[in-house]
Amino acid sequence: MPLSDRPWLPLAAVATTLLLWASAFVAIRHLGQDFSAGALSLGRLVVGSLALGAVAVSRGLPKPSGRDWLGLVAIGVLWFGVYNLALNQGEHHVDAGTSAMLIQISPVLIAVLATLFLGERFTRWLGLGLVLAFAGVVLIGVSQPGGHNDIVGVLLCLLAALVYSIALVVQKPLVARLSAIHVTWLACTVGAVVCLPFAGQLVDNTRDASASDIWWVVYLGLFPTAIAFTTYAFALRHMTASSLGITTYLVPPLTIVMGWLFLGETPPGVAYVGGALALVGVAVSRRKPRARNVVPQPA
């Protein structure tokens, strides 16, 4: 059956992606008491790599060039390695909703990095969005009531957003030469290798964890990692990138609702204001300058 007869499929793919990504913040927060940041990262990435590999290999083996491997290693180390370690440790100190709001500033960082390294234009809208997003982050930071540890959590989540943004800029030329599923699989595998020093912690934590928590680790690798990336790639093939990008604004409110339902926690009141301001900054930064009407000059 052609896709034209099932126009709801891309929307269903988007909804699946957003729900799974939002649930990841809640699962990470829940598992923080039983799994160290490194152990959780390794467990999630091993499961994700195996699941993504099953799909990727079925589409043929990729043949990255030496230059491609440099990009893949960079993405694997930053996005799948450092990102997971920083986010997992950050959620030891801040709630799931706050961490989701902080990660959501990444589109502004990506736009700034694109102007620096990809030659894209720095517009006044990007500058204004950057200021608004920064102000939102400051409000989120000062709203944390627990003192130093909570600020450390905010900074770790910002580090996760930064390395994620850098990785996406590196990924842009790669996906022009390799399929998205192959890039994601290989980078996820690199990330798992980076986290191998935490194998001992993973064994110890798994031995002491309940069966339910072990399944939550499997869930993180299978659903928010393997399945969500696949549904996102499907949606991207059938929707414009800008339309799909806007939908990610729903991840923080979804995370807040899930955190309230399953963990009984919500962000501090001022953090909502900061999160809203940061999202406004992201929206403003994505505005495109109007094309000027050029008046023909007499010859």
Side-chain angles (χ1 to χ4, degrees):
M1 183 181 295
L3 185 64
S4 58
D5 295 332
R6 295 175 292 174
W8 51 269
L9 271 181
L11 293 178
V14 171
T16 300
T17 300
L18 298 181
L19 287 171
L20 293 179
W21 281 352
S23 72
F25 290 98
V26 178
I28 291 169
R29 178 70 168 169
H30 167 70
L31 291 169
Q33 297 179 353
D34 298 301
F35 284 85
S36 69
L40 181 55
S41 298
L42 177 59
R44 175 180 182 176
L45 292 175
V46 167
V47 174
S49 175
L50 292 173
L52 286 165
V55 178
V57 172
S58 68
R59 300 183 181 183
L61 290 175
K63 297 179 180 180
S65 65
R67 180 184 175 189
D68 292 337
W69 272 115
L70 290 176
L72 288 167
V73 170
I75 296 169
V77 172
L78 293 175
W79 187 359
F80 290 91
V82 178
Y83 172 88
N84 277 287
L85 290 168
L87 178 60
N88 293 348
Q89 187 62 40
E91 287 206 50
H92 285 184
H93 306 295
V94 298
D95 61 86
T98 297
S99 63
M101 288 189 288
L102 290 167
I103 296 296
Q104 192 57 42
I105 71 164
S106 57
V108 179
L109 300 178
I110 292 169
V112 172
L113 290 169
T115 63
L116 294 175
F117 299 105
L118 297 180
E120 296 187 9
R121 182 183 174 189
F122 189 93
T123 67
R124 61 180 181 179
W125 291 114
L126 176 56
L128 178 58
L130 183 61
V131 171
L132 290 173
F134 178 76
V137 168
V138 170
L139 279 178
I140 293 173
V142 300
S143 72
Q144 305 304 311
H148 178 70
N149 283 339
D150 290 274
I151 296 301
V152 167
V154 170
L155 294 176
L156 284 169
C157 289
L158 289 177
L159 173 61
L162 176 61
V163 296
Y164 165 71
S165 303
I166 295 172
L168 280 189
V169 173
V170 175
Q171 186 188 40
K172 185 174 182 178
L174 269 180
V175 293
R177 299 188 293 271
L178 301 171
S179 71
I181 188 68
H182 284 132
V183 170
T184 305
W185 168 49
L186 292 174
C188 184
T189 304
V190 170
V193 172
V194 168
C195 293
L196 279 178
F198 301 103
Q201 292 182 20
L202 178 60
V203 171
D204 293 339
N205 292 167
T206 302
R207 185 186 301 118
D208 298 333
S210 66
S212 173
D213 285 344
I214 294 173
W215 279 112
W216 272 114
V217 176
V218 175
Y219 170 86
L220 278 172
L222 186 59
F223 288 88
T225 304
I227 293 179
F229 276 109
T230 302
T231 53
Y232 186 84
F234 173 83
L236 188 58
R237 285 198 297 270
H238 302 287
M239 298 175 63
T240 64
S242 58
S243 298
L244 189 57
I246 291 173
T247 65
T248 61
Y249 295 169
L250 295 174
V251 171
L254 286 172
T255 303
I256 291 170
V257 171
M258 289 183 183
W260 172 65
L261 288 174
F262 298 108
L263 302 176
E265 62 180 20
T266 57
V270 178
Y272 288 104
V273 180
L277 189 58
L279 290 178
V280 169
V282 172
V284 168
S285 70
R286 290 187 171 187
R287 290 199 61 176
K288 303 295 183 183
R290 293 180 179 178
R292 296 181 179 178
N293 293 324
V294 179
V295 179
Q297 299 296 318

